[in-house]
Amino acid sequence: VIRADFAVRHAGQLCTMVARGDDPLGRIPDGALAASGGQVVWVGPDRDVERIIRLDGDLVDAGGRCVLPGLVDPHTHPVFAGSRADEFAERLSGITYAAQQGGERGIRRTVRATREASEDELLQLAVARAHRFLAHGTTTIEAKSGYGLDQEQERRQLRVLRRLAEQSPLRVVPTLLAGHVVPDGVGRADYVQMVIDEMLPALKPLAAYCDVWCDPPAFTAAETRAMLARARELGYGLRLHAAQVAPGEGPSIAAAMKAASADHLEYATAEQVAALAVAGTVAVLCPGANFTVPSSPRPPIEAFRAHGFNVALASDCNPGTSNSESLTFAMTLACVEWGVTPAEALVAATVNSARSLGLDGQAGVLRPGASADLCVFDVGAPEDIPYHVGVNRAVLTITAGRTWMAP
Ligand code: NIG
Ligand code: FE
């Protein structure tokens, strides 16, 4: 007999995401799960529950709906103020995202709005976003700074992420994105030096990962290497925004430095995809950002597939390219725009994204030892999740064995 303080019963299909036989989703028909102290202690067929589980606590009846691990979103920018709706509209008439990165628009505009907001305002905005993540079935996010771009402002953004993690049931993995773009009023070389000498060492206690955008509107290959090398020395895990708006060395740098993830990758070459696979670097693709930047090509999906599909999907929640907390919508886009299969999309939004965050076995799977983070989706089969377009089928989100109540 296994003691539990939380259980789910009657899942039409319980997706463990532990591949079994020819099912990459490791599903258990009419499945059940038990947890204790926030951790999964048992998964199996519902008919075994009464014999095996002694429950003293909450019971959720999934009523034949599908149960999946809480989704893991491996690339988000949730701490910002202001809107760039006009830039979204402008791109529809042909202005490119790269061209919007100069002057009064683009990332630097969000930097201005974010610097002007108080820390409590930023927290409030981030908490509202956290609610939307949870409402759409996401229980873990990677979350970047990057709209501060000086030491005190980046610290403020990371502090907001820490406070968010303390007061929200969402798991938040913080990333320092001081290398987003060069801020107004500072020379390029001076800024890169300041990141290396001051920001990276000072902000290490607040961030698990360091990210740099290596693309023409942002940083060169040499600048990217210099910042990431210092970050690695200091013990940060590495992530890159790479080859989003042009071909370049970003993906090769990610592979050479064995980064945890290389993100976007629309312009990655087949050779770069092969190198990323050998390095074990997860390719984090951002369909939402691709979708609202009309000139973007599709990332090389076939090459990823040929190299074992070490691919994760992200919402890329941000005010410029992807104003969305819905990872299930990103899955839909990956399927219809890029030809990713629904099963691939599900793996990419759970196990693979967890791996990119070093959370293997802890998040993105339902098996003993994993955190009891899960979501009940009102669908007949998990493959139906991306098939439902633009509507939210997540009906109940549970984090660490506790039911999340929408505010
Ligand atoms: O992931 N490419 C750079 N960073 C973000 C966009 C940030 C913004 O436009 O505010 C991205 O697409
Ligand atoms: Fe991004």
Side-chain angles (χ1 to χ4, degrees):
V1 167
I2 299 174
R3 291 176 173 280
D5 57 22
F6 170 82
V8 188
R9 296 194 58 179
H10 303 297
Q13 299 188 25
L14 182 113
C15 295
T16 62
M17 304 311 292
V18 180
R20 224 185 358 179
D22 58 6
D23 181 14
L25 312 184
R27 70 192 91 198
I28 302 172
D30 195 21
L33 172 147
S36 176
Q39 282 198 344
V40 177
V41 290
W42 179 84
V43 292
D46 191 82
R47 61 171 183 277
D48 291 346
V49 169
E50 273 148 44
R51 191 163 49 80
I52 298 180
I53 302 301
R54 179 162 317 149
L55 176 67
D56 181 13
D58 292 346
L59 174 67
V60 168
D61 183 346
R65 298 179 187 85
C66 287
V67 172
L68 276 85
L71 304 179
V72 178
D73 192 338
H75 179 145
T76 81
H77 307 247
V79 186
F80 66 86
S83 163
R84 282 159 48 207
D86 50 350
E87 295 175 31
F88 168 83
E90 200 179 58
R91 284 202 299 280
L92 305 178
S93 64
I95 312 254
T96 66
Y97 176 65
Q100 288 177 327
Q101 295 309 312
E104 295 300 299
R105 295 173 295 181
I107 293 169
R108 291 176 190 80
R109 178 175 175 199
T110 298
V111 170
R112 281 192 293 278
T114 303
R115 285 178 176 176
E116 277 163 24
S118 74
E119 190 172 317
D120 287 343
E121 274 163 0
L122 290 175
L123 180 63
Q124 233 174 52
L125 289 164
V127 166
R129 288 176 192 124
H131 290 154
R132 290 190 287 272
F133 281 113
L134 290 161
H136 287 83
T138 296
T139 53
T140 297
I141 62 168
E142 182 268 7
K144 305 172 195 297
S145 64
Y147 295 117
L149 305 185
D150 67 32
Q151 191 182 138
E152 271 334 290
Q153 291 288 339
E154 288 289 306
R155 184 189 302 283
R156 229 162 57 102
Q157 287 210 274
L158 293 171
R159 225 169 22 219
V160 168
L161 288 173
R162 177 177 279 185
R163 289 171 69 189
L164 177 67
E166 283 163 5
Q167 59 174 258
S168 163
L170 192 63
R171 182 190 285 109
V172 179
V173 180
T175 293
L176 173 64
L177 178 57
H180 203 180
V181 291
V182 178
D184 287 332
V186 187
R188 301 188 69 79
D190 289 345
Y191 185 68
V192 171
Q193 214 50 54
M194 188 165 95
V195 171
I196 291 174
D197 294 341
E198 296 164 29
M199 294 164 76
L200 285 171
L203 300 175
K204 178 67 193 68
L206 288 166
Y209 289 92
C210 171
D211 189 342
V212 173
W213 185 16
C214 183
D215 244 331
F219 294 95
T220 66
E223 292 161 346
T224 302
R225 270 196 211 94
M227 288 186 274
L228 291 181
R230 180 75 177 121
R232 189 168 56 180
E233 256 169 40
L234 290 163
Y236 289 89
L238 307 182
R239 318 186 81 81
L240 278 87
H241 284 68
Q244 178 184 11
V245 302
E249 286 181 64
S252 309
I253 296 172
M257 300 188 82
K258 296 202 184 309
S261 76
D263 302 33
H264 291 287
L265 301 178
E266 276 86 339
Y267 289 90
T269 65
E271 293 71 36
Q272 289 176 326
V273 170
L276 291 168
V278 171
T281 299
V282 180
V284 173
L285 306 182
C286 303
N290 184 277
F291 184 57
T292 74
V293 178
S295 47
S296 286
R298 141 188 202 282
I301 300 298
E302 289 72 21
F304 289 118
R305 215 174 257 144
H307 291 280
F309 206 70
N310 196 7
V311 168
L313 290 173
S315 70
D316 194 9
C317 176
N318 79 77
T321 57
S322 187
N323 190 13
S324 170
E325 292 86 359
S326 171
L327 191 47
T328 56
F329 182 59
M331 288 161 61
T332 295
L333 287 177
C335 294
V336 299
E337 300 277 304
W338 298 346
V340 167
T341 69
E344 284 172 339
L346 289 159
V347 170
T350 54
V351 252
N352 286 3
S353 44
R355 185 179 333 114
S356 89
L357 296 172
L359 295 173
D360 326 45
Q362 221 182 308
V365 290
L366 294 177
R367 67 163 179 232
S371 182
D373 302 339
L374 47 110
C375 186
V376 181
F377 285 92
D378 187 14
V379 290
E383 287 86 349
D384 297 2
I385 292 172
Y387 159 64
H388 289 280
V389 177
V391 286
N392 184 21
R393 307 296 289 197
V395 289
L396 188 68
T397 303
I398 286 136
T399 60
R402 287 178 184 216
T403 299
W404 174 69
M405 299 287 180

